[in-house]
């Protein structure tokens, strides 16, 4: 989690399913292809063409931009459309460390099943704004380990809610999320300026949080429910 300025950014089972919980022992790995699951990007995007705003205000995409991004509500989910800054926080890895990331922090808001921080380089995760008067994510049924469908350039990538960020800024995901979607994952100079849609499924939990395969399996099921219910 970080506060980027625009200048820096430019330079740089059935019951389980009903409860939205899918336990697995698989560790998961960084996906090599970003068409995950059976639900297309076009079908998901068709359900989020209009916004029923649930946030009390709007968010900035970077520290120096104006607040233009609302959090929107749907049946079973919330969503927003923003940019993607790169979060490289958590466990130190080859590409996520103090040398590669000027904003690096060695912790994440939510932790692996063994208590260690998440690994941004290998785990697709999304950053949600810390709770504030603008919006309280937990009050909307969004929690750590929840499933997120991240859509960019006609690709769908399933991620988990893995970290929290500034209270007034939105639009950030892990190194692994960006890489899978074909976005430059460099924490200093990468990211996408716009065109990223984040659909967060309410009351969902991937267990363990670090299992990407579990996120894909549960995400695909929840995406189908989302299409049916909206």
């Amino acid at each position: 989690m970080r506060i980027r300025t625009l200048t820096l950014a430019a330079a740089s089972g059935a019951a389980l399913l009903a409860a939205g919980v899918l336990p697995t022992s698989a560790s998961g790995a960084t996906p090599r292809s970003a068409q995950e699951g059976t639900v297309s990007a076009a079908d998901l995007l068709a359900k989020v063409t209009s916004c029923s705003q649930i946030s009390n205000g709007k968010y900035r995409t970077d520290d120096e931009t104006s607040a233009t991004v609302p959090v929107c509500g749907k049946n079973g989910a919330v969503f927003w459309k923003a940019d993607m800054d790169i979060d490289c926080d958590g466990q130190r890895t080859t590409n996520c460390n103090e040398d590669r990331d000027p904003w690096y922090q060695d912790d994440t808001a939510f932790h692996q099943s063994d208590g260690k921080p998440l690994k941004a380089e290998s785990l697709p995760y999304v950053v949600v704004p810390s709770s504030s008067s603008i919006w309280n994510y937990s009050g909307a049924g969004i929690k750590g380990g929840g499933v997120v469908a991240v859509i960019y350039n006609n690709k769908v990538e399933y991620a988990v809610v893995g970290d929290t960020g500034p209270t007034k800024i939105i639009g950030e995901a892990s190194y692994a999320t960006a890489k899978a979607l074909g976005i430059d994952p460099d924490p200093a100079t990468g990211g996408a300026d716009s065109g990223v849609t984040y659909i967060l499924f309410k009351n969902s939990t991937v267990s363990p949080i670090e299992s990407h395969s579990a996120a894909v399996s549960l995400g695909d099921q929840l995406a189908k429910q989302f299409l049916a219910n909206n």
Side-chain angles (χ1 to χ4, degrees), residues 92-124:
R92 289 178 179 82
T93 57
T94 302
N95 289 300
C96 287
N97 53 62
E98 298 91 335
D99 295 330
R100 298 293 301 273
D101 182 2
W103 306 275
Y104 176 77
Q105 298 180 44
D106 63 0
D107 200 5
T108 49
F110 307 107
H111 292 169
Q112 296 181 164
S113 55
D114 61 4
K116 295 180 180 179
L118 303 180
K119 289 184 179 179
E121 184 172 346
S122 58
L123 180 68

Side-chain angles (χ1 to χ4, degrees), residues 2-221:
R2 63 184 57 81
I3 298 178
R4 287 177 184 256
T5 65
L6 188 61
T7 302
L8 286 172
S12 37
L16 289 172
L17 176 58
V21 179
L22 185 68
T24 178
S25 59
S27 61
T30 303
R32 297 182 181 277
S33 170
Q35 181 49 55
E36 298 187 321
T38 60
V39 178
S40 71
D43 285 346
L44 287 171
L45 291 175
K47 299 294 185 178
V48 294
T49 56
S50 62
C51 175
S52 176
Q53 183 172 329
I54 61 171
S55 55
N56 294 322
K58 296 182 179 181
Y59 287 94
R60 304 171 184 269
T61 56
D62 289 294
D63 193 49
E64 295 178 1
T65 61
S66 57
T68 60
V69 181
V71 177
C72 311
K74 298 291 285 189
N75 289 330
V78 304
F79 74 92
W80 56 79
K81 299 180 180 182
D83 64 344
M84 183 184 288
D85 289 333
I86 308 302
D87 189 321
C88 234
D89 295 340
Q91 295 188 47
R92 289 178 179 82
T93 57
T94 302
N95 289 300
C96 287
N97 53 62
E98 298 91 335
D99 295 330
R100 298 293 301 273
D101 182 2
W103 306 275
Y104 176 77
Q105 298 180 44
D106 63 0
D107 200 5
T108 49
F110 307 107
H111 292 169
Q112 296 181 164
S113 55
D114 61 4
K116 295 180 180 179
L118 303 180
K119 289 184 179 179
E121 184 172 346
S122 58
L123 180 68
Y125 71 71
V126 165
V127 181
V128 297
S130 295
S131 295
S132 71
S133 59
I134 300 177
W135 183 58
N136 180 347
Y137 66 87
S138 61
I142 305 304
K143 50 191 172 182
V147 185
V148 187
V150 188
I151 306 163
Y152 179 76
N153 196 23
N154 204 37
K155 296 179 180 179
V156 180
E157 173 69 10
Y158 289 105
V160 293
V161 175
D163 204 358
T164 57
T167 57
K168 296 181 179 181
I169 295 176
I170 205 165
E172 188 174 1
S174 68
Y175 183 105
T177 309
K179 185 176 181 181
L181 288 168
I183 295 170
D184 181 355
D186 187 288
T189 60
D193 290 336
S194 62
V196 185
T197 300
Y198 303 81
I199 302 174
L200 294 77
F201 298 110
K202 295 180 180 179
N203 301 312
S204 61
T205 306
V206 173
S207 180
I209 189 175
E210 66 270 19
S211 173
H212 181 63
S213 60
V216 175
S217 297
L218 181 56
D220 189 51
Q221 293 167 355

